[in-house]
Amino acid sequence: MTVGSRIVALGHYQPSRIVTNNDLANIVDTNDGWIRDRVGIAERRIADQESVADMATFAAEKALANSGLTPADIDMVVVATCSSIDRCPNVATRVAAKLGIPAPAAFDLNTACSGFSYALATADHAVGAGASRNALVIGAEKLSDVTDWTDRTTAVLFGDGAGAAVVTAVPDGEQPGIGPVLWGSAPDKGDVLRIEGWQPYIKQEGQIVFRWATTALAPFAIEACERAGVKPSDLAAFIPHQANTRIIDGIVKRLGLGPDVVIAKDLVESGNTSAASVPLALSKLIERREVPSGAPVLLFGFGGGLTYAGQVVRCP
Ligand code: UT7
């Protein structure tokens, strides 16, 4: 029998060091007004000693504590990341080792900024196939490691952090809390956003990504709602990838959301944290009790690849 899954708890972690726009204006030719107007970011958190695995672990530890499950209950760990420098062991096994999760299926997944929605769908599918009962799904990035701090066109955009969700099988007869995923990519545009080479730095053709995000993505977000049987006007919250407030506003305008819907704009205080941006924003929203338990929330990630993925989830 196919079973569904749901998110039962979330957690997040951000480094303590705050870097403001004015701080960046001391190292590259930029200013607070340009960054706020063109991107929407006021500040971001930058890691010092913490690795991607450390941040993923801290977020997962909180999610696990909030779920009431123990490390021994977890049978799958999925980490979405595009900035982990180490190739092996993967981040997921490092998280499992640090948390004392004894023998999970453990793998990393890289679809850049859409990574959390891909990872969440993969965990949901694994539960549906009977391959997992309790999964940890994490988005974690240390983009400061792959940022060229002399390049003003990218240095002002990114931040570090992690968000995590505990996903469990729903008991018999109960509604699933994770809707069908809508996922895909535009590989012909893959080279417009790159972190490549031996000393990798983020490079992007920002305007091409911007145009694609504001023209191509809204219909996919609407289709993700349709697949879940939810009207955009019934959503309690919309949590898109946090890259640019102008992109978020452009997508929102085309979705037909209700007047009271909460629109996540966590990038104002966190910058663009790629695969961590959606779970970070969702976790904060739930911590602040901005959305009631059971309410439908549309998650929608997009970015490098160019990839996109979204699904409607029910708030834990
Ligand atoms: O998360 C992964 C997916 N990525 C995205 O979604 C990013 C999508 N793209 C964007 O969000 C925007 O394209 C950016 C925020 C990256 C750039 O904004 P823009 O409005 O497209 O700026 P632009 O690249 O057209 O640059 C406009 C001007 C240029 O100067 P000139 O040639 O007009 O004199 C740039 O050199 O702004 C200049 N500029 C800056 N000025 C001050 C570029 N970066 C900066 C800066 N501070 N940091």
Side-chain angles (χ1 to χ4, degrees):
M1 190 190 66
T2 307
V3 294
S5 73
R6 68 182 178 204
I7 297 174
V8 288
L10 288 119
H12 63 271
Y13 173 81
Q14 290 185 283
S16 58
R17 183 154 69 100
I18 295 172
V19 174
T20 65
N21 294 340
N22 286 329
D23 292 331
L24 290 175
N26 290 324
I27 60 169
V28 286
D29 179 15
T30 192
N31 58 78
D32 181 58
W34 190 96
I35 302 169
R36 283 179 193 262
D37 289 351
R38 304 295 272 245
V39 198
I41 297 169
E43 60 188 39
R44 68 289 290 143
R45 302 295 182 105
I46 298 296
D48 288 309
Q49 300 308 318
E50 305 101 316
S51 66
V52 172
D54 291 333
M55 291 189 282
T57 303
F58 297 144
E61 200 167 28
K62 286 184 192 156
L64 204 51
N66 290 339
S67 76
L69 296 179
T70 68
D73 296 319
I74 300 296
D75 56 25
M76 174 175 280
V77 181
V78 192
V79 179
T81 185
C82 65
S83 57
S84 174
I85 302 298
D86 298 339
R87 301 286 194 275
C88 191
N90 61 23
V91 179
T93 51
R94 285 197 158 139
V95 171
K98 285 170 194 274
L99 291 182
I101 300 170
F107 57 98
D108 296 356
L109 178 157
N110 177 2
T111 59
C113 309
S114 63
F116 184 75
S117 279
Y118 268 82
L120 190 63
T122 303
D124 177 52
H125 298 165
V127 170
S132 171
R133 295 287 299 173
N134 301 309
L136 260 175
V137 180
I138 305 164
E141 302 283 11
K142 190 176 181 183
L143 294 166
S144 57
D145 272 351
V146 292
T147 296
D148 177 354
W149 292 103
T150 66
D151 173 10
R152 71 173 182 173
T153 68
T154 52
V156 303
L157 302 177
F158 300 103
D160 301 331
V166 175
V167 170
T168 68
V170 292
D172 275 356
E174 287 188 24
Q175 284 298 311
I178 298 179
V181 69
L182 180 291
W183 55 11
S185 64
D188 57 313
K189 295 185 185 60
D191 276 352
V192 303
L193 204 167
R194 305 181 306 282
I195 311 175
E196 62 186 7
W198 290 108
Q199 221 174 15
Y201 288 132
I202 304 170
K203 301 272 172 217
Q204 70 170 341
E205 293 173 45
Q207 287 189 354
I208 296 180
V209 183
F210 187 95
R211 213 171 306 125
W212 170 75
T214 48
T215 57
L217 297 181
F220 299 135
I222 291 168
E223 197 177 331
C225 292
E226 282 167 6
R227 290 187 184 192
V230 171
K231 292 196 203 92
S233 56
D234 292 336
L235 290 170
F238 175 47
I239 306 188
H241 170 49
Q242 304 286 298
N244 189 318
T245 44
R246 290 186 295 135
I247 293 178
I248 296 173
D249 293 342
I251 296 174
V252 163
K253 211 177 275 178
R254 301 177 64 193
L255 288 189
L257 301 172
D260 299 327
V261 67
V262 177
I263 315 279
K265 289 198 176 161
D266 183 54
L267 82 165
V268 177
E269 59 185 49
S270 302
N272 177 345
T273 58
S274 192
S277 84
V278 168
L280 197 53
L282 177 62
S283 178
K284 287 184 183 179
L285 191 137
I286 286 164
E287 193 175 71
R288 292 194 299 258
R289 300 181 195 280
E290 285 183 43
V291 180
S293 176
V297 174
L298 174 62
L299 312 182
F300 197 84
F302 57 88
L306 295 175
T307 60
Y308 53 86
Q311 63 270 92
V312 174
V313 302
R314 298 277 164 183
C315 262

